[in-house]
C-alpha cells in the first residue's frame, strides 16, 4: 500500500500545479501602475482584453464630448480642485463597491471630461487639501446618486489590487492640482472658470474610498519619491480615517479649501520616541494600535456649492437624469466578465480567487482524482 507520506506528497503536488496555473494568468501582465501616458495621448483602452482573470476592461479611456452622458463608461478621471474633481463609482444602479470594483466608471463634479456627472446636491460637504506632496479631497455624499446602494459601506479603489491590474481595471487618473494652493484656487474661483487649466499630470499612486455616505481621495505627486508610501494601498480595511486624514466631524455642510502639511504615511506611527510601522492583518479583527494625528492646515477658505458646482446645476442633461438613465447601462457593460471582483464590500484590494486558464478544468479534475484516491487508500 502506498505510504501516507507519499499520498500527501501527491496531494501537495496537485495543489501546487493548480496554484501555479492560476498565478500564471496574471503575473505576466503589465501592472496598471507602470502604464504611463501623457495627456491627451492616451489609448482608447489601457487594459482592454489584457485584464487577466478579472478582465476584460469594462469601459474606455479616450473620453470626450461624445462620451459625456449619464451612461458614459469613461474610465479616466481627474482631481483638479474642489469644483472640478471625479470619483470612481458603479455604472449600475443599487450596486456595491465589493461587487463593482473592477468595473467602476468616472463620475465628475463638472462637465467637460467625457464622463458621467455627479448630480447637483449629491455632495453635501467637502474639504480640499493642497499638501506638499499630494492633493486630497474628502466629503459626504448621497451615494445613491452615483449608483451605490444606500446601505453599502463601500471599500477602497486603487491602481494595484492583488493582481496589480487595479480597481477599476484600466482606470487612469490625472490632476493639475500639484503645485497649487488655497490662494491660487481663490483666484480661480474669482475668474469664474474652474476648468480653464487643461494641463494634466498622470497620477501613478492614488487611493479612493467611497461608502457609508462618505468619500475620500488622495492623489500623490509622482515627482515625490515617497509617493507610494503616502498613497499606500494596503490599508483598505481602516478606511478614510487612517488613509486620508481630515477633521471629518466638521466637514459635512461646508465646502472648504486649505493648505496642509503632509500626513504621516498610513501605518506609520511613533510611540515612546520610536517610529513603528503597523501592517493590516490578512485575517481576524483589524484594530490599528494607534490614533493618527491630523496634519496642520492653514489658509482655509470656505465656498458655497453654487460657486463650485454652477456648471452642473444648469446642465439639463444631468439634472434629474442620473437615476433614470443609469439603469440601461447594464446591457451595454461587460458586468458578467468583471464579476470576479471581491464579493465582500470594504475589501476591494483583494482579487478574485477563481481559476481562469484554459487548462484549469483538467487540473481541477486531476486534483480531485488524486484527493479521492488518497482518501480511499487511507480509509
Amino acid at each position: 500500500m502506498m505510504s501516507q507520506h507519499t499520498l500527501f506528497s501527491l496531494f501537495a503536488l496537485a495543489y501546487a500545479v493548480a496554484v501555479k496555473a492560476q498565478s500564471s494568468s496574471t503575473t505576466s501582465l503589465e501592472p496598471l501602475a507602470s502604464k504611463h501616458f501623457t495627456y491627451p495621448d492616451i489609448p482608447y483602452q489601457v487594459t482592454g482584453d489584457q485584464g487577466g482573470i478579472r478582465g476584460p476592461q469594462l469601459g474606455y479611456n479616450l473620453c470626450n464630448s461624445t462620451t459625456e452622458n449619464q451612461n458614459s463608461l469613461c474610465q479616466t478621471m481627474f482631481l483638479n480642485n474642489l469644483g472640478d474633481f471625479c470619483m470612481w463609482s458603479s455604472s449600475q444602479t443599487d450596486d456595491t463597491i465589493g461587487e463593482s470594483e473592477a468595473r467602476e466608471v468616472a463620475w465628475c463634479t463638472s462637465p467637460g471630461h467625457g464622463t458621467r456627472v455627479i448630480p447637483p446636491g449629491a455632495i453635501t460637504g467637502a474639504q480640499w487639501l493642497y499638501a506638499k506632496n499630494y492633493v486630497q479631497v474628502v466629503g459626504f455624499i448621497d451615494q445613491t446618486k452615483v449608483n451605490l446602494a444606500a446601505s453599502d459601506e463601500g471599500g477602497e479603489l486603487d491602481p494595484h489590487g492583488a493582481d496589480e491590474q487595479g480597481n477599476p481595471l484600466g482606470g487612469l487618473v490625472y490632476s493639475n492640482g500639484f503645485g497649487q494652493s488655497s490662494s491660487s484656487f481663490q483666484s480661480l474661483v474669482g475668474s469664474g472658470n474652474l476648468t480653464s487649466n487643461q494641463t494634466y499630470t498622470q497620477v501613478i499612486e492614488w487611493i479612493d474610498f467611497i461608502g457609508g455616505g462618505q468619500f475620500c481621495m488622495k492623489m500623490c505627486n509622482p515627482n515625490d519619491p515617497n509617493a507610494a508610501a503616502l498613497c499606500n494601498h494596503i490599508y483598505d480595511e481602516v478606511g478614510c480615517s487612517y488613509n486620508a486624514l481630515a477633521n471629518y466631524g466638521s466637514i459635512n455642510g461646508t465646502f472648504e479649501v486649505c493648505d496642509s502639511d503632509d500626513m504621516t504615511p498610513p501605518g506609520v506611527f511613533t510611540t515612546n520616541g520610536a517610529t513603528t510601522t503597523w501592517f493590516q492583518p490578512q485575517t481576524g479583527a483589524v484594530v490599528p494600535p494607534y490614533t493618527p494625528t491630523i496634519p496642520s492646515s492653514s489658509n482655509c477658505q470656505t465656498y458655497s456649492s453654487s460657486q463650485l458646482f454652477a456648471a452642473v446645476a444648469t446642465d439639463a442633461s444631468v439634472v434629474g437624469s442620473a437615476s433614470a438613465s443609469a439603469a440601461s447601462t447594464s446591457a451595454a457593460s461587460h458586468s458578467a466578465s468583471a464579476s470576479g471582483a471581491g464579493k465582500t464590500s470594504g475589501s476591494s484590494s483583494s482579487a478574485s480567487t477563481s481559476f481562469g486558464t484554459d487548462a484549469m478544468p483538467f487540473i481541477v479534475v486531476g486534483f480531485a482524482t488524486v484527493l479521492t484516491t488518497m482518501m480511499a487508500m487511507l480509509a
Side-chain angles (χ1 to χ4, degrees):
M1 178 180 292
M2 190 178 294
S3 70
Q4 189 179 67
H5 174 76
T6 302
L7 288 172
F8 277 112
S9 295
L10 288 172
F11 177 86
L13 177 61
Y15 179 78
V17 169
V19 171
K20 176 66 175 179
Q22 178 197 12
S23 62
S24 66
S25 67
T26 58
T27 54
S28 62
L29 299 176
E30 181 182 4
L32 177 63
S34 70
K35 299 177 181 180
H36 302 168
F37 304 97
T38 301
Y39 191 86
D41 298 325
I42 59 179
Y44 175 71
Q45 286 185 317
V46 166
T47 299
D49 292 334
Q50 302 301 307
I53 58 178
R54 296 191 297 131
Q57 180 178 350
L58 167 73
Y60 37 78
N61 299 102
L62 197 58
C63 311
N64 51 43
S65 59
T66 67
T67 66
E68 184 166 290
N69 56 67
Q70 295 307 89
N71 291 321
S72 176
L73 298 180
C74 179
Q75 292 183 300
T76 297
M77 84 169 195
F78 299 82
L79 224 77
N80 297 324
N81 57 61
L82 188 57
D84 181 22
F85 68 90
C86 311
M87 63 182 67
W88 298 120
S89 195
S90 180
S91 61
Q92 301 178 42
T93 56
D94 202 33
D95 212 342
T96 68
I97 293 298
E99 290 287 342
S100 65
E101 61 178 6
R103 52 180 168 79
E104 309 293 358
V105 297
W107 293 76
C108 301
T109 60
S110 294
H113 297 302
T115 67
R116 302 184 187 212
V117 180
I118 300 171
I123 298 174
T124 58
Q127 180 193 63
W128 181 284
L129 296 180
Y130 289 103
K132 179 181 178 181
N133 289 302
Y134 59 83
V135 293
Q136 173 180 295
V137 61
V138 307
F140 295 83
I141 187 171
D142 177 353
Q143 63 193 38
T144 64
K145 297 298 196 304
V146 291
N147 284 355
L148 293 183
S151 60
D152 183 34
E153 291 302 312
E156 181 187 34
L157 304 158
D158 62 65
H160 298 281
D163 59 4
E164 291 297 330
Q165 295 306 299
N167 286 308
L169 292 173
L172 291 181
V173 177
Y174 289 87
S175 178
N176 60 30
F178 301 125
Q180 303 301 307
S181 66
S182 175
S183 178
S184 64
F185 180 70
Q186 192 171 10
S187 299
L188 194 63
V189 172
S191 74
N193 188 352
L194 300 182
T195 61
S196 59
N197 184 354
Q198 300 291 308
T199 302
Y200 303 112
T201 298
Q202 184 180 356
V203 184
I204 308 304
E205 298 292 347
W206 50 267
I207 58 167
D208 181 332
F209 287 80
I210 183 171
Q214 184 174 301
F215 66 87
C216 63
M217 290 166 284
K218 184 168 62 179
M219 311 287 125
C220 290
N221 193 329
N223 293 325
D224 174 32
N226 201 35
L230 283 170
C231 281
N232 205 329
H233 62 93
I234 64 172
Y235 296 97
D236 57 309
E237 294 288 346
V238 293
C240 291
S241 59
Y242 279 80
N243 287 279
L245 304 188
N247 185 7
Y248 287 92
S250 65
I251 292 173
N252 203 7
T254 66
F255 295 91
E256 182 182 58
V257 176
C258 302
D259 296 325
S260 174
D261 293 341
D262 284 350
M263 65 174 279
T264 301
V268 178
F269 65 101
T270 301
T271 180
N272 297 324
T275 300
T276 304
T277 300
W278 168 75
F279 294 98
Q280 178 181 289
Q282 296 299 309
T283 59
V286 178
V287 182
Y290 72 102
T291 300
T293 300
I294 299 173
S296 298
S297 59
S298 59
N299 304 319
C300 295
Q301 298 289 330
T302 58
Y303 300 89
S304 66
S305 60
S306 60
Q307 287 177 291
L308 301 171
F309 312 127
V312 68
T314 58
D315 190 331
S317 67
V318 176
V319 178
S321 68
S323 59
S325 62
S328 65
T329 305
S330 57
S333 72
H334 309 299
S335 60
S337 63
S339 64
K343 301 301 181 187
T344 303
S345 179
S347 56
S348 61
S349 290
S350 63
S352 169
T353 56
S354 61
F355 298 116
T357 66
D358 293 337
M360 188 50 59
F362 303 100
I363 294 171
V364 171
V365 170
F367 178 76
T369 301
V370 171
L371 179 60
T372 302
T373 302
M374 181 185 75
M375 296 304 295
M377 296 182 71
L378 287 176

